Amino acid sequence: MSTPIIQIKNLMKTYKIGGETVHALNNVSLEIKKGEFLAIIGPSGSGKSTLMNMLGCLDRPDSGEYLLEGKNIGKMNDNQLASIRNQKIGFIFQNFNLLTKLTALENVELPLLYAGVSAKIRRETAMESLKKVGLADRAAHLPTQLSGGQQQRVAIARALAANPSILLADEPTGALDSRTSKEIMEIMQELNEIGNTIILITHDLTIAKQARRMVSIQDGQLQENGGELLGHFAMH
Amino acid sequence: MGILQCIKMAFRSIKSNKLRSCLTMLGIIIGVSSVIVLVSMAQGSTTNVTNQINQLGTNLLTVNTFGTDLALTQDKIDQLSKLNGVKAVAPVVSGRVTVKEDRTSSQQSVLATTPDYSSVRNVNVSEGRFITDLDIEYRQKIAVLGSDTAATLFSGNDPVGQNILVNGTSFKVVGVLASKGSSLGSSGDDVVIVPLSTGERLLKQTDINQVYLQGKNENQMDFVQAEVEAKLASMFPNNTDSYTVSNQKDLMDTMSSVTESMTLMLGGIAGISLLVGGIGIMNIMLVSVSERTKEIGIRKAIGAKRRDVLLQFLIESTVLSSMGGIIGIIFGLCLGKILSSAFNMTLSYSSSIMFMAFLFSLAVGVVFGVFPANKASKLNPIQALRYE
């Protein structure tokens, strides 16, 4: 665990909404090491989504530095960002974001498709990935034929398919009932145990607490261990 | 991502929206099939006209003079026939006569000419023989009948060897011409052909005012025409208004320029419908892009580059339009067959037109697909993901 997988230094991002400047990220610094399970907790409007977009290489900072495995993300163009997202980041979304017209297997194959993997290896790797989340028998099903929990597991398999450096989960249990939420969190735990680096973004303290490390964000500023915010959340 | 994968994906998305895809393709189908039907119709009539003109004789020049002063004597005809590039000449004396056979009597046009007329005017006998030099020399009272004339006078019986009365004089029928059909309004089948010498007597006219000349080579016709005109000018000085030399090629050129512009016009009209079909494709692709904003966002989040998204939508529109093109070609061919058999029209299909129509439909797909595809590829992934 020598060099961190993610190094963020003095990250700034501002938006102008109706003439008013909003500091979505205000001087954020963060280091994430390989194999970590980090939860980022914050209420809505805290800059949580901006941070997640930044970590997921969907957006570039106004200033500051973001190094992902030593590469400076801030200086990359759209195409370079796309291939970084493809190879280094596995997204897990709140509402699964599966393509409804593709089968579970085809959904999992998608990142490999964009990585230019040949059809045969693509199929094998995707199947392998589906096995990891226990859905090998549902490979030919369409997302609409699967339950919410199963859909999220397909999404996790998709995130894993290209063997990325980090898994970025944005409220992965937000659209699920408590029992399936528990299932999904168990899978996340298992994935972390076998060495995957996971970043979990949530507003739910009970979910965040299951991570090994927790940071909180409020008004665009980050605090280690949740800080005061944790107390603030605990009161609710 | 490979092109093949893109095409597969395009077919998938077309299949998942069958009705809409079919309606979109309909524009292209109608466009392509109307291009094929209309252009085939125009080209069919071009071939028709060309054939009809060629039936009048190939490489043909017609010399007409007016008045007895300007009669073409045998000597002058010989001079014309000796010109460079002239293959054969056929002087003609024509008039109208009453022809009678048994109880059938009819008015017919009569042509008195020489044996060369057969090759110069491209007329052939289907039965018997044509006029020979001996017939002219001995002023034989023989006649060759046009196919319609033969049918009128003999109603199906074999006329060869029978006698007819031409203006009261008995003529022996020695041959019947093969039917040529009517060309450009005048029928070549309603005629009685007699030897020149006999005809001159029959019509009481010794002045020859019309000579047909056949050139040796199609490409020399302008030169031959100039030669003939120069010769005529030297024969009849100061009378340039009293004779004409008409070239069959002029007629052909006029007709072909007419049919060419007809082809262009019809093709253009059909092309406009293809263009409208293309706009339909663009419209649907734009709808498709905004419907699938979320999908584009997802694809971009998991690593689709701008190029990947652009290609996906571009190939989708191209597949849509080229499928429409192929169906349109098949539909156009079927429609052409039905039309040609129902209305007895000559249609001439050319593979180049089909290929062109297909290429055009392909191009329409690309051109009208670029804008929506570009729009899709430029979507911001964050906003696209948020889109519901």
Side-chain angles (χ1 to χ4, degrees), chain A residues 37-41 198 200-202 208-209 211 213-216:
Chain A
F37 190 170
L38 171 75
I40 299 171
I41 187 168
I198 298 175
L200 180 70
I201 291 152
T202 183
K209 269 180 175 170
R213 180 183 161 201
M214 188 161 34
V215 293
S216 68

Side-chain angles (χ1 to χ4, degrees), chain A residues 53 58-59 79 82-83 85-86 91 93 95 97-99 101-103 106 110-111 113-114 122 158, chain B residues 1 5 9 12 16-17 294-295 298-306 308 312 381-382 385-386 388:
Chain A
N53 287 340
L58 287 163
D59 207 352
N79 274 344
S83 67
R85 285 199 295 273
N86 186 234
F91 283 99
F93 299 97
N95 38 16
N97 280 351
L98 296 173
L99 298 187
K101 278 166 189 164
L102 302 185
T103 64
E106 285 165 332
L110 217 52
L113 185 77
Y114 288 119
R122 207 162 64 212
R158 181 179 66 186
Chain B
M1 194 172 44
Q5 197 63 42
M9 229 149 69
R12 230 194 151 103
S16 71
N17 249 324
K294 183 105 179 173
E295 176 192 329
I298 296 168
R299 285 180 186 272
K300 282 197 153 187
I302 60 177
K305 296 189 176 76
R306 265 198 69 174
D308 296 322
Q312 184 189 342
I382 298 169
L385 273 173
R386 239 182 256 149
E388 289 300 333

Side-chain angles (χ1 to χ4, degrees), chain B residues 101-119:
Chain B
E101 198 281 325
D102 208 7
R103 269 175 242 155
T104 322
S105 155
S106 75
Q107 284 283 322
Q108 295 288 340
S109 67
V110 66
L111 281 180
T113 187
T114 59
D116 279 344
Y117 185 83
S118 164
S119 66

